[in-house]
Amino acid sequence: MNREPHATNAALMARRHAAVPRGVGQAHQIFIARGRNAELWDVEGRRYIDFAGGIAVLNTGHCHPEVMAAVKAQLELYTHTCFQVIAYEPYVELAERLNALAPGRFPKKTVLLSTGAEAIENAVKIARAHTGRAGIVAFTGGYHGRTLMTLGLTGKITPYKAGFGPFPGEIFHALFPNALHGVSVADALASVECILQNDIEARRVAAFILEPVQGEGGFYIAPPEFVEGLKKIADRHDILIIADEVQSGAGRTGTWFACEQWSVAPDLIATAKSLAGGFPISGVIGRADIMDAPGPGGLGGTYAGSPVGCAAALAVLKAFEDERLLERSRSIGGRLVAGLRRIAEANESIGDVRGLGAMVAMELFEDGDVARPDAELTRRVVAEAARRGLVLLSCGHHGNVIRILVPLTASDDLIEEGLRVLADSFDAVR
Ligand SMILES: Cc1ncc(COP(=O)(O)O)c(C=O)c1O
């Protein structure tokens, strides 16, 4: 490696623009030099508080010491065999751990993969193999990844789907409930029934797929009555429920899986992101009989369930126990919601503050009018915060939501410091 010792963010951005296609977006014009827990330093030596966590990947922070130690130990032993060629214990152990963590009083099995999109692809394959049906009902505002099937499932055109179709067939979108924007639980359930009456007969639908808390879509939480109503429809027609926990899982919402807070257990759960604390791994956990539907050779992948990812994920699970990070997720969530509400009192543009555990967001509107989402103000606050040393991410259908995904290992002092920068950023752009 021959790295430029005096690189600046601007010089590296210029090289990036020349070498990397513009389709790969970049929220901030920052190049990292080093990251530790909930802080990072850029190539110019500037320090930032990280409230983005690499989009929900760093629930245990940058370079958690135990995760790094586990990965280093694994690197000394072996890095790759392909599990389908020569197996290794960490894969099996991680599957056992995830089976035990997933809700539902039935035997479970887990297949490990590499990315969130790959987990969703496999959940759909497994659901189809088990039911012998093709149809999938997803929801408006849902985000499931960037491969063609997961783009098909994603419920937002720009920027994700535009220009990339056609997508696989037999995918339908029902309304996701969103009380703030006038979609009641009854409306959402009626839209599911409507699809089953008008678009595809129920006996050809394999699964409903939903995020317990929509991530890219804007941190909207699926209300318990909605999940219960959906389950009733699913049971009536032997349709499976897939929970996409790629963003909401791994302790973000105060339980390991957000769907543990549902009164019904999903049949399949997709997990990824924070599972391995910054190393790529993902998985599908589900009812054993469903998971066994695909025949031998039907599932897997060259790098799927890499030994390094497995070692990292097992260390993440240990850190959650040792540092009681689920409790921490709930207390950080309370602190963040209180902090954002304080900021909202002084800023009428903030029309809503919401969260489940530490998956917390606020939504911005012109003059607080819910009919006028304020993407421009959101962009300005996020940019101002970055100038002041706080990394934030926006999301939502209109790009008017600021989401917080701070590591659960961050100290209260650091979180309060980040909240102060956020408040100051609002003051500065007003
Ligand atoms: C809910 C959800 N599902 C799926 C994905 C896709 O995961 P990946 O980017 O690892 O493919 C994401 C990524 O943001 C996500 O938030």
Side-chain angles (χ1 to χ4, degrees), residues 55-90:
I55 320 188
V57 170
L58 299 172
N59 288 352
T60 48
H62 290 269
C63 302
H64 188 288
E66 299 298 327
V67 176
M68 299 308 283
V71 166
K72 282 179 190 159
Q74 182 59 48
L75 290 176
E76 293 298 324
L77 298 174
Y78 53 92
T79 61
H80 179 79
T81 61
C82 185
F83 189 72
Q84 296 113 272
V85 178
I86 302 285
Y88 36 90
E89 188 179 352

Side-chain angles (χ1 to χ4, degrees), residues 135-137 169-175 190-205:
I136 306 286
V137 177
E170 305 288 53
I171 296 171
F172 304 88
H173 286 94
L175 294 174
S191 79
V192 175
E193 298 280 18
C194 187
I195 286 171
L196 302 183
Q197 273 158 24
N198 299 319
D199 297 322
I200 180 169
E201 59 274 42
R203 64 181 176 77
R204 289 206 299 115
V205 176

Side-chain angles (χ1 to χ4, degrees), residues 343-425:
I343 299 173
E345 276 165 24
N347 291 280
E348 69 161 1
S349 57
I350 302 172
D352 194 42
V353 171
R354 54 180 173 268
L356 192 66
M359 193 163 179
V360 173
M362 60 184 176
E363 187 157 357
L364 276 55
F365 304 97
E366 289 177 37
D367 305 322
D369 174 1
V370 177
R372 291 186 290 145
D374 202 339
E376 177 53 29
L377 178 63
T378 308
R379 261 193 299 276
R380 283 167 53 215
V381 170
V382 170
E384 181 62 28
R387 268 194 291 280
R388 291 167 177 265
L390 174 68
V391 180
L392 292 171
L393 278 178
S394 62
C395 64
H397 189 71
H398 300 286
N400 66 322
V401 179
I402 294 178
R403 57 176 149 176
I404 300 189
L405 291 160
V406 65
L408 306 175
T409 43
S411 69
D412 288 344
D413 284 351
L414 197 87
I415 291 169
E416 289 299 336
E417 189 186 340
L419 287 169
R420 278 196 301 279
V421 177
L422 182 54
D424 292 347
S425 304

Side-chain angles (χ1 to χ4, degrees), residues 85-110:
V85 178
I86 302 285
Y88 36 90
E89 188 179 352
Y91 185 122
V92 178
E93 189 183 346
L94 182 57
E96 290 167 346
R97 295 293 308 275
L98 292 171
N99 293 339
L101 283 165
R105 282 201 213 100
F106 39 76
K108 299 178 195 88
K109 289 193 175 183
T110 290

